[in-house]
Amino acid sequence: MSNENDDATQLGSIGRHMSKPQQPGNPQARPAFQAPSLPTHPQEQDGDEEGTVLSTHNATPSRPTRPTVPMAQPMQAQPTQSAPTQQPLPQSQSAPVMATRQFPQITAPSVKPAQPAMASSMMSAPQADITEFHELFAQLVGNVSQVVVGKEQPIRQCATAMIVGGHILLEDNPGTGKTQLARGLANSIDMSFKRIQFTPDLLPSDVVGVTYYDQKNGEFEYREGPIFASIVLADEINRASPKTQSALLEVMEEQKVTVDGETHAVPQPFMVIATQNPIEQLGTYKLPEAQMDRFLIKTTIGYPSHDVSVNILKQVNVTDRASTVHAVLTGNDVLRMRAISETVRLDDAIIEYIVRLVEATRHNERIQVGSSMRGALALTRCARVWAASSNRGYVVPDDVKQLAVAVLAHRITLTAEATFAGSTPEQMIEQILDEVPSPTVGATA
């Protein structure tokens, strides 16, 4: 009995952890000295210690700690006293703790699924609107490609300008298909189309319209000019006088025409496609910087490749390719695509990148006049359309790089030294693209 009293004294002083070696040695003595300590220790074990273990390892659900139950069930077969049923819990106390520390996957189900969810929200499958935009854009480009064969890049740029609501300037040598491209784009959309041949004797009233006196009705009436169409082809725009060229300034920027104090809105969507030749400058009038800045994109077509040239000659009987295509989109489709492009995600890093590119054109020693804020807005809007045409709902740096030359090159003016050295605005924009670091948003998003 003295041994039993000593054991009881040791167990009462040391605590419940030291009672585990004594359990198999003397099972009859358990009810005698363990009963007074039961109301406090088992409650602390079940409520406090297990909760502490879970909160320490950030395991919000309490289900993973239930493996202690099957370890305690064999002990419940002992007498109905609470001491034998609760005492094995201290034995299993260290086992769940070690299991929780050795297997950190308890916290993994609550953390790892959240990380792919954040990435998939930016890199997820395209939404229905973006997919619809991509399909309509592909139909338009494919239809116009039947007119100008092998020139997908300038066709995509023209389609981008039309969806944004801007204007495009086609500058290339004669016979490269500038007029065919403009007419093919116009015939691919079920909208009104007018063509204006700019000549030195063309007057502003021949473009915007004129107010005349109707003798039959005895009142003045306004007769609309060819500018009142959804797509207007200004062919050889640099051959008209500056007075006639200035008639396009208001309508290209504000989408309306003012004649004799009355303002008239043009139909929507509205787009001006102008063409000019870089050679044969005799008898031409260079477009001023203010009008050049109103063009969203300036691009060239270039000569076709050898294989494309051979295929064109095999179809020598086709004299007017633009008349062979039919409309695949309507004006409402273009307006809907414009609304979809406005929902394309534009990260702050992309915006910062565009601003740095524009600011670099203003601080370059070989550039006399840098790009305006209109150029930054144009590049931003075109990048969103370019991303949606690639079946993406977000803009990546490559979208900006592919459009920077076409959007910004005609908005800058080089110094005389750079011009005499043979530099071109396109080369300067490409150099700026190499110097300004691009963000990594597209790779990590």
Side-chain angles (χ1 to χ4, degrees):
M1 297 300 292
S2 61
N3 294 331
E4 295 178 355
N5 293 331
D6 294 338
D7 294 338
T9 304
Q10 292 176 357
L11 291 172
S13 60
I14 296 175
R16 58 183 182 277
H17 298 286
M18 299 302 297
S19 63
K20 292 187 287 187
Q22 301 297 332
Q23 179 181 355
N26 192 3
Q28 297 178 355
R30 295 174 185 169
F33 58 87
Q34 289 293 339
S37 60
L38 286 176
T40 58
H41 297 290
Q43 294 178 357
E44 295 176 356
Q45 295 169 2
D46 294 339
D48 186 15
E49 295 180 359
E50 293 180 1
T52 304
V53 172
L54 291 175
S55 61
T56 303
H57 295 280
N58 296 327
T60 53
S62 59
R63 296 293 183 248
T65 60
R66 291 305 180 191
T68 58
V69 176
M71 296 179 63
Q73 286 178 357
M75 302 303 298
Q76 292 178 358
Q78 296 178 358
T80 57
Q81 297 180 1
S82 59
T85 59
Q86 299 294 334
Q87 189 169 356
L89 290 176
Q91 297 178 358
S92 61
Q93 178 181 1
S94 60
V97 173
M98 295 301 296
T100 305
R101 293 177 181 175
Q102 293 177 359
F103 300 96
Q105 65 269 19
I106 295 178
T107 60
S110 61
V111 176
K112 289 186 177 180
Q115 294 176 355
M118 296 177 63
S120 62
S121 63
M122 301 174 63
M123 298 289 292
S124 59
Q127 301 176 359
D129 293 342
I130 301 299
T131 303
E132 178 186 1
F133 185 102
H134 172 68
E135 294 175 353
L136 295 177
F137 194 91
Q139 292 180 8
L140 178 61
V141 173
N143 198 55
V144 181
S145 297
Q146 300 177 12
V147 179
V148 183
V149 185
K151 298 297 180 181
E152 182 179 356
Q153 185 75 0
I155 294 175
R156 286 173 57 90
Q157 293 174 352
C158 292
T160 299
M162 182 187 60
I163 295 173
V164 172
H167 316 288
I168 191 164
L169 177 62
L170 299 176
E171 184 180 67
D172 211 332
N173 298 329
T176 53
K178 300 185 297 296
T179 305
Q180 287 290 318
L181 175 57
R183 294 181 59 237
L185 182 63
N187 293 339
S188 299
I189 304 173
D190 188 12
M191 297 186 303
S192 57
F193 169 70
K194 296 291 181 63
R195 181 180 185 274
I196 307 174
Q197 182 65 49
F198 277 67
T199 56
D201 59 346
L202 191 69
L203 299 177
S205 59
D206 298 331
V207 177
V208 299
V210 62
T211 301
Y212 70 100
Y213 181 76
D214 190 356
Q215 295 182 357
K216 183 177 180 180
N217 298 327
E219 59 183 7
F220 287 93
E221 292 184 3
Y222 174 68
R223 178 178 296 174
E224 295 180 350
I227 199 64
F228 286 89
S230 294
I231 299 179
V232 179
L233 172 59
D235 207 0
E236 301 289 345
I237 188 174
N238 58 338
R239 294 196 176 276
S241 62
K243 181 179 181 180
T244 304
Q245 294 177 3
S246 62
L248 297 174
L249 294 177
E250 180 184 9
V251 66
M252 292 177 63
E253 179 64 21
E254 303 178 12
Q255 312 285 310
K256 60 184 180 181
V257 175
T258 302
V259 178
D260 293 335
E262 295 184 3
T263 302
H264 309 273
V266 295
Q268 294 296 328
F270 175 75
M271 179 183 184
V272 173
I273 304 177
T275 65
Q276 67 177 5
N277 298 327
I279 58 176
E280 298 179 0
Q281 297 300 321
L282 183 62
T284 61
Y285 302 89
K286 182 180 178 181
L287 296 178
E289 288 75 8
Q291 190 168 355
M292 289 291 293
D293 197 37
R294 279 168 169 77
F295 285 101
L296 186 74
I297 290 177
K298 176 187 174 184
T299 186
T300 60
I301 299 178
Y303 294 110
S305 61
H306 176 77
D307 296 336
V308 173
S309 300
V310 172
N311 293 331
I312 293 175
L313 292 182
K314 290 180 179 180
Q315 303 174 6
V316 66
N317 294 330
V318 181
T319 57
D320 189 4
R321 287 180 170 270
S323 61
T324 60
V325 297
H326 303 283
V328 295
L329 298 181
T330 62
N332 293 330
D333 293 335
V334 175
L335 295 178
R336 167 151 179 80
M337 294 174 69
R338 184 180 303 176
I340 294 175
S341 66
E342 295 175 355
T343 63
V344 175
R345 184 178 182 274
L346 197 65
D347 194 85
D348 293 341
I350 299 294
I351 298 177
E352 181 72 18
Y353 180 54
I354 294 175
V355 173
R356 289 183 180 275
L357 290 177
V358 174
E359 290 179 346
T361 62
R362 304 170 186 170
H363 301 91
N364 194 300
E365 59 181 5
R366 290 186 291 178
I367 297 178
Q368 183 177 1
V369 180
S371 175
S372 63
M373 194 61 197
R374 187 186 286 127
L377 293 172
L379 186 57
T380 304
R381 293 166 182 165
C382 291
R384 293 193 299 186
V385 174
W386 202 266
S389 66
S390 302
N391 207 11
R392 280 185 284 101
Y394 54 92
V395 179
V396 297
D398 287 341
D399 298 330
V400 180
K401 293 179 180 179
Q402 294 176 7
L403 292 167
V405 176
V407 175
L408 300 179
H410 64 282
R411 303 177 190 272
I412 63 175
T413 303
L414 302 183
T415 60
E417 293 79 4
T419 304
F420 292 152
S423 301
T424 61
E426 289 78 13
Q427 294 176 355
M428 295 304 304
I429 297 299
E430 291 177 356
Q431 180 180 352
I432 291 175
L433 289 174
D434 296 336
E435 295 175 353
V436 177
S438 61
T440 58
V441 170
T444 59

